[in-house]
Amino acid sequence: SASGGRVELRLSRRRLAVLAVFSCYSLVNAFQWIQYSILSNVFAGFYGVSFTQIDWLSMVYMVAYVPLILPATWLLDTRGLRLTALLGAGLNGLGAWLKCGSLAPERYPLTLAAQSVCAVAQVFILGLPSRIASVWFGPTEVSTACAVAVLGNQLGTAIGFLLPPVLVPNTPNDIDLMAHNISIMFYGTAIVSTLLFFLTGVVFEEKPKYPPSHSQAVLRTTPPEDYSYKQSIINLFKNIPFVLLLISYGIMTGAFYSVSTLLNQMIVTHYEGEEVNAGRIGLTLVVAGMVGSIICGLWLDYTKTYKQTTLIVYILSFIGLLVFTFTLDLGYLIVVFVTGGVLGFFMTGYLPLGFEFAVEITYPESEGTSSGLLNASAQIFGIVFTLVQGKLTTDYSPRAGNLFLCAWIFVGIILTALIKSDLRRHNVNSGIMNLDVKAVPVDSPVEPESTTLKIQSAL
C-alpha cells in the first residue's frame, strides 16, 4: 500500500454475479439498438417513413452519447458504480415499455422518443466494462472480465441480427399482422429488461470488501478530496498516447457501427429478398467478434502485449474489410457469411483491447472516464461514417461506401503504430513501480472545489 503496510487482497464471489447481470442488461440495450436497422425495409413500410428516418433510430444512440458522456462519467466517478448501473438498467426498461405504445403506423415519433430513452441508457452502460473489471477482478483476470462485459453488448447485437427477422417477417400486405409481430418483440424486450433492472438492484454493490489488486489498493488509500474530475479530463487530453488511441479507437469502432447499421441495405442491394440471411450474416459477424473478444482478453491477461496485439488486430481488420468489400457482389451468399465472420472476428475483437489499453496507459485516472471518452469518439465517427457510407451506398454502391471506411481504417493503423506503450497499471501490480497516487474516488459523495492529480513514480 502507499503507506508501506500490507493490504489484504481478496477476490469476491459476488464479482461473477455482478459481471453476469451487467452483461445481460447491456445485451438487451444492444438488442434494442439494432432491432430497427436489421428490419429497415419492414419498419420503413410499417411507419411509412424513409430509410434515412429508420437509420436515425440507430444513429440516435450515437447522437445521445456524445453530449451526455461527460455528465455520465462525472456521475460514475462521484456517485459510484451502483447508481450508474441502476440508471442504465432502469432507463433501458423505460424505453422498452414506451416502444410498446408505438404499435401503430402513425406513431413513428413515439418510437423515436422511446429509442432516445434507450440511447440515454446506453450512456450509463458502455463505460462500465473496464470499471467493473478493475474494481471487482484480479490482475490475472481483469482483461478477460472486461472482454466478457463487452461480450454482453456484442451478444445483444448478435441476437438483434438474428431474432427480429424471425419474429417480424415482411408482410407488406397485412399491416395488422405486422403490428402483432412487432408487439411480440417489443413486449418481450420490455419484460426481460424490467426483470434485469430488479436483478441489478439486488446484485450490484459499490465495490468488494477487499481490493482485488495492488492497483485498486493504492487507489483506495486516496482521500476523495484529492480528486478533481475536471483535472482528470485535462490529464487525459495531455496524455499523447491516449489521444492517439482515442482517435484510432473511434475510427475502428465507428466503422463497425456503420457496417452494422447498413448491413441490411448492403445485402438486400445485391441479394434481393434475403432479409433473414442479412440478419444471419450480421449474427455471424458479431458471434465471430465475440470469439475474437474472448481470445484477445485471454491473450492480454497472459502476455500483457497491449500495443502489439492492438496493432495486429487493426491491420487484420483492414484486410478483412477489403476482402468483404470485393467479395460482396460475387453472387454467393456463403462467401459473404465467411468474409463477414472474418471481419467481425477482428473488428469486434478490437473493442476490449482498446478499453484495456486505455486503462493501462492512463492509470490512475478513472477507467469510466477513459472508456467513456473512447466511446464518445466511436459515436462521433459512427455518426459521420453511417451518414457518408449510407449516402455512398444509396447513390453509388455498397463497394463505394466500404472503400470509404477502408481508407479511414488505414489512417487508424498509422495512428496505432505511433502510440507509446507505457503500461502503468501493470507496472504497479507487478511491483515494478511504486506510485504516490492521487486519483479516483470510488464512492465520493461530492466533487471538491479544486484539487490536483499527481503521479510521482520512484523506480
Side-chain angles (χ1 to χ4, degrees):
S1 82
S3 61
R6 287 188 63 81
V7 172
E8 184 174 1
L9 304 180
R10 202 185 287 181
L11 294 176
S12 165
R13 290 178 185 172
R14 184 183 283 263
R15 74 192 191 284
L16 298 177
V18 169
L19 185 62
V21 170
F22 171 77
S23 296
C24 287
Y25 78 75
S26 178
L27 179 156
V28 175
N29 186 258
F31 174 83
Q32 296 200 81
W33 166 58
I34 206 69
Q35 67 185 167
Y36 293 102
S37 292
I38 200 61
L39 293 172
S40 52
N41 53 338
V42 174
F43 278 105
F46 180 73
Y47 287 117
V49 295
S50 67
F51 277 108
T52 303
Q53 285 172 284
I54 298 301
D55 288 344
W56 272 107
L57 292 170
S58 167
M59 286 192 292
V60 70
Y61 263 58
M62 307 175 204
V63 172
Y65 196 91
V66 178
L68 293 176
I69 185 53
L70 290 180
T73 52
W74 175 83
L75 191 80
L76 175 61
D77 285 352
T78 57
R79 296 292 184 270
L81 191 59
R82 178 177 160 82
L83 177 63
T84 307
L86 284 169
L87 269 171
L91 289 169
N92 207 29
L94 176 61
W97 282 110
L98 283 173
K99 286 181 186 180
C100 297
S102 68
L103 292 163
E106 70 278 1
R107 292 183 188 169
Y108 171 81
L110 179 55
T111 216
L112 179 60
Q115 187 74 331
S116 300
V117 173
C118 296
V120 174
Q122 177 216 212
V123 181
F124 298 102
I125 294 171
L126 283 189
L128 290 191
S130 52
R131 168 61 72 93
I132 289 171
S134 293
V135 169
W136 285 89
F137 289 82
T140 59
E141 55 188 19
V142 66
S143 295
T144 306
C146 182
V148 171
V150 172
L151 188 82
N153 207 265
Q154 295 167 1
L155 184 57
T157 307
I159 296 171
F161 279 126
L162 179 69
L163 210 53
V166 176
L167 292 175
V168 189
N170 195 5
T171 54
N173 299 322
D174 192 343
I175 294 296
D176 290 338
L177 176 61
M178 191 183 284
H180 172 72
N181 291 333
I182 293 170
S183 73
I184 293 171
M185 179 168 71
F186 282 176
Y187 277 103
T189 307
I191 291 165
V192 171
S193 56
T194 304
L195 175 65
L196 287 167
F197 170 67
F198 289 115
L199 273 176
T200 304
V202 171
V203 167
F204 261 78
E205 284 184 357
E206 199 53 59
K207 59 185 176 185
K209 185 176 180 183
Y210 299 100
S213 65
H214 285 294
S215 56
Q216 281 299 306
V218 169
L219 293 183
R220 288 193 183 193
T221 63
T222 310
E225 60 270 15
D226 279 354
Y227 173 75
S228 163
Y229 180 70
K230 179 183 173 184
Q231 187 61 43
S232 180
I233 296 285
I234 292 168
N235 290 340
L236 287 172
F237 279 105
K238 284 181 178 177
N239 185 329
I240 301 301
F242 176 72
V243 173
L244 290 171
L245 181 62
L246 188 67
I247 299 167
S248 58
Y249 182 91
I251 290 170
M252 174 67 82
T253 313
F256 170 71
Y257 289 160
S258 185
V259 169
S260 301
T261 301
L262 299 167
L263 189 65
N264 173 279
Q265 291 173 44
M266 283 193 265
I267 302 301
V268 174
T269 299
H270 295 299
Y271 305 91
E272 203 169 324
E274 294 285 3
E275 289 89 358
V276 173
N277 270 325
R280 288 173 183 158
I281 290 165
L283 174 71
T284 306
L285 190 141
V286 178
V287 169
M290 288 158 55
V291 175
S293 288
I294 293 298
I295 290 173
C296 288
L298 290 167
W299 175 256
L300 283 187
D301 277 333
Y302 180 70
T303 65
K304 302 298 180 186
T305 52
Y306 289 87
K307 179 178 174 176
Q308 297 91 319
T309 308
T310 304
L311 184 58
I312 290 167
V313 169
Y314 219 113
I315 292 167
L316 292 172
S317 298
F318 174 69
I319 295 168
L321 186 56
L322 273 178
V323 173
F324 177 79
T325 301
F326 288 102
T327 55
L328 185 60
D329 58 354
L330 292 181
Y332 300 103
L333 266 174
I334 186 67
V335 174
V336 185
F337 271 98
V338 173
T339 56
V342 172
L343 179 64
F345 182 87
F346 294 114
M347 273 186 118
T348 319
Y350 174 83
L351 302 185
L353 288 178
F355 279 159
E356 284 298 287
F357 195 15
V359 174
E360 286 291 342
I361 62 179
T362 62
Y363 180 86
E365 306 299 345
S366 165
E367 307 89 354
T369 308
S370 62
S371 56
L373 289 170
L374 288 182
N375 280 321
S377 174
Q379 308 295 345
I380 292 167
F381 278 105
I383 294 165
V384 175
F385 287 172
T386 304
L387 289 171
V388 175
Q389 191 188 4
K391 184 74 173 164
L392 290 170
T393 300
T394 306
D395 292 356
Y396 298 98
S397 68
R399 177 175 292 185
N402 283 329
L403 284 173
F404 165 77
L405 291 185
C406 287
W408 274 99
I409 290 177
F410 184 75
V411 173
I413 292 173
I414 296 167
L415 294 175
T416 303
L418 295 173
I419 296 171
K420 182 188 174 190
S421 184
D422 178 16
L423 307 183
R424 299 177 182 182
R425 181 179 66 177
H426 172 61
N427 290 342
V428 171
N429 284 332
S430 305
I432 296 169
M433 183 185 290
N434 296 312
L435 291 183
D436 172 20
V437 182
K438 291 184 168 60
V440 181
V442 178
D443 49 2
S444 167
V446 291
E447 186 185 21
E449 290 289 319
S450 66
T451 41
T452 59
L453 185 151
K454 297 177 184 174
I455 305 173
Q456 298 167 336
S457 55
L459 292 177

